[in-house]
Amino acid sequence: MSDDQTPAARYLRYAAIRRSLLSAASQRIPLASVASQARALTLWDGKQVRPADEMQLAAVFDLGVLDPVGGHGRAIERQARAEPPLPGSEEDRMLRALGEARFGLYRILGPRAEGGVSAEAFPDGRPLVIWDNHLTRNRAPGALVGLRLAFPDEDLAMTCGTAISLDSRVLERLLLGTPPQRGPVIPNLPRPEDGPALERLMAEAAARLRLAALAAAPGFAAKVTRTALDLGLMGPVLGRTPADLLAQG
């Protein structure tokens, strides 16, 4: 394999294309869709998106571009119609991959010396390599994340959109069907060494089937993101986090 066709080299090229496509598509989200996504995440103040940080803003645009709630069309499809790339090009493969990208749950095992991140799908344990330069930052081996993967090439799994740190509390709420919360949000970190709790939750076949059904249904990404926000795993939420905690941040 030539140097420019190694996974690491292809990832660098595709990453630049991905960034350009997602940026262009984000400009094609109608305001009504932006409002719907932000409302679903309690990040709308009645007139505009009101995130506490860039990650929360990225979560709103991630939904609007790739997986909107509220019956809105996907901005990535608008981008494909407005500026179709040359068929068969890397731009074309990346655009198609973004259109087919799916949100799921994964456990991060650690960086690989040859590049990429060792991971496994949750809960089935299917191993895979995910290409993302930042995925292991501040995450210990075994950390659970929710993210969307795109495959511009069959052997290259790339993140697109936000990677959300999760723990067993999120999974428990999803399995119980806990409705979105409106109360105070207290910022906190995912539980450390959470593996045993995750395994207990997934011990029964019924729980695994329930999670699989949730993941296959529309709106799963929004549901996971909102649950993480409610639990404070994405930091403070303006209007929901007490003022004294905001001041501390």
Side-chain angles (χ1 to χ4, degrees):
M1 181 184 298
S2 63
D3 289 345
D4 65 345
Q5 290 303 314
T6 62
R10 284 181 286 133
Y11 166 69
L12 290 176
R13 294 200 302 274
Y14 280 126
I17 298 168
R18 174 193 59 190
R19 185 165 52 250
S20 177
L21 287 171
L22 291 177
S23 177
S26 70
Q27 303 302 311
R28 302 185 188 279
I29 309 174
L31 179 58
S33 179
V34 172
S36 288
Q37 313 321 310
R39 285 193 195 97
L41 302 180
T42 64
L43 300 176
W44 183 255
D45 70 358
K47 295 182 180 179
Q48 61 186 358
V49 184
R50 196 179 179 216
D53 58 25
E54 290 184 1
M55 182 173 67
Q56 292 181 7
L57 180 62
V60 173
F61 281 97
D62 171 63
L63 294 179
V65 170
L66 298 170
D67 198 5
V69 298
H72 296 280
R74 303 194 305 159
I76 196 66
E77 294 172 356
R78 294 188 181 90
Q79 176 64 25
R81 291 192 297 267
E83 299 182 65
L86 181 68
S89 64
E90 289 187 336
E91 289 78 6
D92 182 50
R93 290 198 290 274
M94 191 71 248
L95 181 60
R96 291 176 182 273
L98 290 171
E100 297 169 357
R102 295 293 177 265
F103 186 90
L105 305 184
Y106 300 89
R107 293 179 80 170
I108 306 304
L109 304 182
R112 302 163 72 243
E114 58 269 52
V117 176
S118 293
E120 60 184 26
F122 183 84
D124 64 21
R126 174 176 51 86
L128 74 162
V129 175
I130 300 175
W131 287 86
D132 186 301
N133 286 335
H134 308 291
L135 200 52
T136 57
R137 185 176 297 173
N138 300 322
R139 292 189 177 98
L144 182 67
V145 297
L147 53 80
R148 200 181 309 275
L149 290 182
F151 289 80
D153 291 336
E154 192 172 313
D155 64 339
L156 199 67
M158 296 177 59
T159 58
C160 54
T162 54
I164 304 167
S165 295
L166 308 172
D167 65 16
S168 58
R169 292 170 294 177
V170 174
L171 192 60
E172 185 173 29
R173 288 193 179 195
L174 292 171
L175 293 172
L176 291 173
T178 304
Q181 304 298 292
R182 289 283 178 180
V185 170
I186 309 303
N188 67 102
L189 298 174
R191 288 174 172 168
E193 301 179 1
D194 202 39
L198 290 170
E199 298 302 328
R200 285 195 297 273
L201 285 170
M202 289 289 100
E204 299 293 333
R208 296 192 293 273
L209 289 172
R210 168 70 172 156
L211 185 59
L214 287 170
F220 183 59
K223 187 173 294 186
V224 171
T225 306
R226 174 60 185 272
T227 305
L229 280 162
D230 287 346
L231 287 167
L233 299 178
M234 295 178 69
V237 176
L238 301 180
R240 296 183 63 191
T241 297
D244 59 328
L245 294 180
L246 285 175
Q248 292 175 17

